Amino acid sequence: MACKTSCKLCPHLVISQAVTFANDTLTINIPAGAYQNGEKYCIVVAQSIPDTTTINAPVVITIGAGTTAYPLTDCNCAQATAESIHTRTRYATRVATSATGTGAFKYLGCFCRSHAGAPASIS
């Protein structure tokens, strides 16, 4: 069987437009669009994470030119922190909205945390 020389990308693949760190928050900006409740979107963090980012900074997602920040949470609904996010990595998420107009991007896995400052071993 011959290999295809061109393939279509999934329409739910979202590549970030910018990654910024300000006001102790790491913000990932994704393209403008309507991200539907309950739908799965794979977000790729395409830009470098700023060197000034602190490891415990919460991670939020903004859409297009909008200023609303939607939290990125993990499978346990815990807020993602900067230590959990890596450049050039795909994160499978599901959008969750509420009747009050708030929302979140929920990572379908659990983030590995480095536990910086933790002792090297226990005995």
Side-chain angles (χ1 to χ4, degrees), residues 26 28 45 49 59 72 80-87 89 91 111:
L26 182 65
I28 300 170
V45 179
I49 295 170
V59 179
L72 176 62
T81 57
E83 72 176 325
S84 308
I85 302 300
H86 304 284
T87 299
T89 303
Y91 296 95
F111 291 113

Side-chain angles (χ1 to χ4, degrees), residues 39-72:
E39 287 292 316
K40 178 182 172 186
Y41 297 94
C42 291
I43 298 173
V44 175
V45 179
Q47 293 77 18
S48 296
I49 295 170
D51 292 337
T52 56
T53 304
T54 57
I55 62 172
N56 291 326
V59 179
V60 298
I61 296 175
T62 58
I63 300 171
T67 57
T68 303
Y70 301 99
L72 176 62

Side-chain angles (χ1 to χ4, degrees), residues 11-52:
H12 286 167
L13 178 66
V14 179
I15 298 174
S16 67
Q17 299 182 133
V19 176
T20 57
F21 178 68
N23 301 322
D24 294 324
T25 301
L26 182 65
T27 302
I28 300 170
N29 181 263
I30 61 176
Y35 296 90
Q36 301 297 317
N37 183 41
E39 287 292 316
K40 178 182 172 186
Y41 297 94
C42 291
I43 298 173
V44 175
V45 179
Q47 293 77 18
S48 296
I49 295 170
D51 292 337
T52 56

